[in-house]
Structure formats: structure tokens, C-alpha cells
């Protein structure tokens, strides 16, 4: 797995050479592992999950698990459909959105459900881009700039979300976007920030 950059060159029988534009090939490794998680009621279940690596930036209708330290840098993750994330004990997942993008984009019509394990020590920090100005910004988790949020449910782990500079919600809509459906249950600890303070868009903490 990895990213490979190359240039395609074609030579015919008469030694004419054509050089095409550079290409970039990203080969991903998807490892499936059994993971035990805790639901909102405190019951334990085991399911097969895709173990995350920083090349997996599109989450669809699958189960994913974050283990160890994962720093996605700037670029963001996009959720399509109904995705489920398990924050394994000791995991630290960090992601920052590109300009005007959410850290984890969960637009209207899509959903993300986050679970923890029995110890509840896994963490997620998702942020919109801090370089966006007063009139643009994505959420930490939720909508991009001018985009409504979908459904976000936090059932476990420690989740901290920071909105894009000034105007994006921590968890909810981007600038001029609606908040969507957001809930925190079970033993989760969820915090949402906007402009370096607790946002009035969403704040909940349950221990």
C-alpha cells in the first residue's frame, strides 16, 4: 500500500515518444478485524471492522475501527451512507478539513455513529479548517461550508469537535448550514467548540 507517482511514456516502432501527464496511484490496504464495542445501553457486541489508515478518507456503509495514533492531517474524511466508527481503547484519531470543508463531512442524508469500548479511552478530535475567514467554514463533524448536517450519534469514546474558524459548528452544519440530528448517549464524552469557546450549537457531556 502507498502512493506511487509516475509518468506514462509511449514509444512506437519508429521510436516516436509520447510523454503523458504525471499520474498518482494510491493503493490502499484494507484489513478486516473483529472488534468488540459497547452500545448505548452498555451491552457489548462484536463485529468485523475495517481497520483505519490515513489512506481511507471515504467512509461508506461499513464498520470502521481506529486503533493507535492516526493523524490524517489536513484534507478531511467524507461519510457516504450510514457509517459506524469504533474508537478502540487508547486510540487517538485526529482529522482537519480542507478549506471550507468539515473535518469529517456528514452531510444531510448521511449518518455517522461512534462507539467506544469498555474502557472508553479512545478519542477523536475533528476540526474544520482554521484558516477560513468570517464568511466561510465547515463544521468539525457535519456539514461543509453552506451545507446541512446529517445524523450524528455518539455512543462512546471521547469526541472533541472544533468548527472552522469563526463560523462552522463544532458538530452540526457548516456556515449557513442547518444542524441536522445530533445526539450523545451511553458513556460517551462529547464536546463541541466554535471560535475557541463552547458553541451554543451543540454541547453535551455524559459520563
Amino acid at each position: 500500500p502507498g502512493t506511487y507517482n509516475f509518468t506514462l511514456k509511449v514509444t512506437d516502432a519508429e521510436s516516436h515518444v509520447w510523454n503523458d501527464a504525471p499520474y498518482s496511484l494510491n493503493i490502499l490496504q484494507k484489513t478486516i478485524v473483529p472488534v468488540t464495542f459497547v452500545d448505548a445501553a452498555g451491552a457489548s457486541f462484536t463485529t468485523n471492522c475495517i481497520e483505519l489508515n490515513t489512506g481511507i478518507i471515504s467512509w461508506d456503509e461499513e464498520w470502521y475501527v481506529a486503533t493507535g495514533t492516526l493523524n490524517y492531517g489536513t484534507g478531511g474524511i467524507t461519510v457516504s451512507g450510514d457509517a459506524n466508527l469504533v474508537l478502540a481503547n487508547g486510540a487517538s484519531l485526529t482529522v482537519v478539513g480542507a478549506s471550507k470543508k468539515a473535518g469529517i463531512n456528514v452531510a444531510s442524508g448521511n449518518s455517522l455513529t461512534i462507539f467506544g469500548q469498555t474502557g472508553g479511552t479512545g478519542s477523536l478530535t475533528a476540526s474544520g479548517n482554521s484558516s477560513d475567514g468570517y464568511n466561510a467554514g465547515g463544521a468539525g463533524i457535519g456539514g461543509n461550508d453552506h451545507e446541512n448536517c446529517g445524523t450524528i450519534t455518539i455512543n462512546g469514546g471521547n469526541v472533541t469537535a472544533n468548527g472552522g474558524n469563526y463560523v462552522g459548528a463544532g458538530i452540526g452544519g457548516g456556515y449557513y448550514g442547518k444542524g441536522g440530528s445530533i445526539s450523545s448517549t451511553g458513556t460517551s464524552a462529547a464536546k463541541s467548540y466554535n471560535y475557541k469557546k463552547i458553541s451554543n450549537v451543540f454541547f453535551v457531556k455524559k459520563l
Side-chain angles (χ1 to χ4, degrees):
T3 301
Y4 302 88
N5 300 311
F6 62 95
T7 299
L8 181 65
K9 182 172 74 173
V10 178
T11 305
D12 66 10
E14 297 179 353
S15 298
H16 296 110
V17 178
W18 291 267
N19 287 324
D20 206 345
Y23 290 87
S24 180
L25 177 64
N26 188 21
I27 300 176
L28 303 179
Q29 175 178 333
K30 288 189 177 181
T31 303
I32 308 297
V33 293
V35 175
T36 300
F37 66 96
V38 178
D39 71 359
S44 293
F45 295 90
T46 300
T47 190
N48 288 329
C49 295
I50 297 171
E51 189 171 22
L52 287 175
N53 59 62
T54 54
I56 302 176
I57 58 174
S58 297
W59 299 355
D60 50 23
E61 297 193 1
E62 299 279 1
W63 282 80
Y64 301 88
V65 60
T67 60
T69 300
L70 285 172
N71 189 337
Y72 273 77
T74 301
I77 293 167
T78 300
V79 171
S80 299
D82 302 320
N84 298 278
L85 170 66
V86 178
L87 297 172
N89 287 333
S92 176
L93 172 59
T94 304
V95 58
V96 178
S99 180
K100 300 183 181 181
K101 303 295 184 181
I104 301 179
N105 179 219
V106 187
S108 179
N110 303 289
S111 73
L112 174 63
T113 304
I114 300 172
F115 299 89
Q117 293 187 308
T118 302
T121 60
S123 67
L124 163 64
T125 301
S127 305
N129 196 292
S130 61
S131 298
D132 292 331
Y134 288 97
N135 59 350
I141 306 174
N144 292 327
D145 184 61
H146 282 77
E147 185 177 64
N148 297 338
C149 178
T151 299
I152 299 168
T153 305
I154 304 172
N155 289 327
N158 296 281
V159 179
T160 301
N162 305 292
N165 206 19
Y166 299 106
V167 292
I171 303 176
Y175 179 54
Y176 267 89
K178 295 181 180 179
S181 176
I182 304 164
S183 61
S184 177
T185 61
T187 57
S188 61
K191 303 175 186 177
S192 173
Y193 298 90
N194 176 275
Y195 189 40
K196 302 180 178 64
K197 64 181 180 182
I198 296 175
S199 171
N200 60 5
V201 176
F202 172 65
F203 173 77
V204 61
K205 183 175 182 181
K206 290 190 177 181
L207 296 174

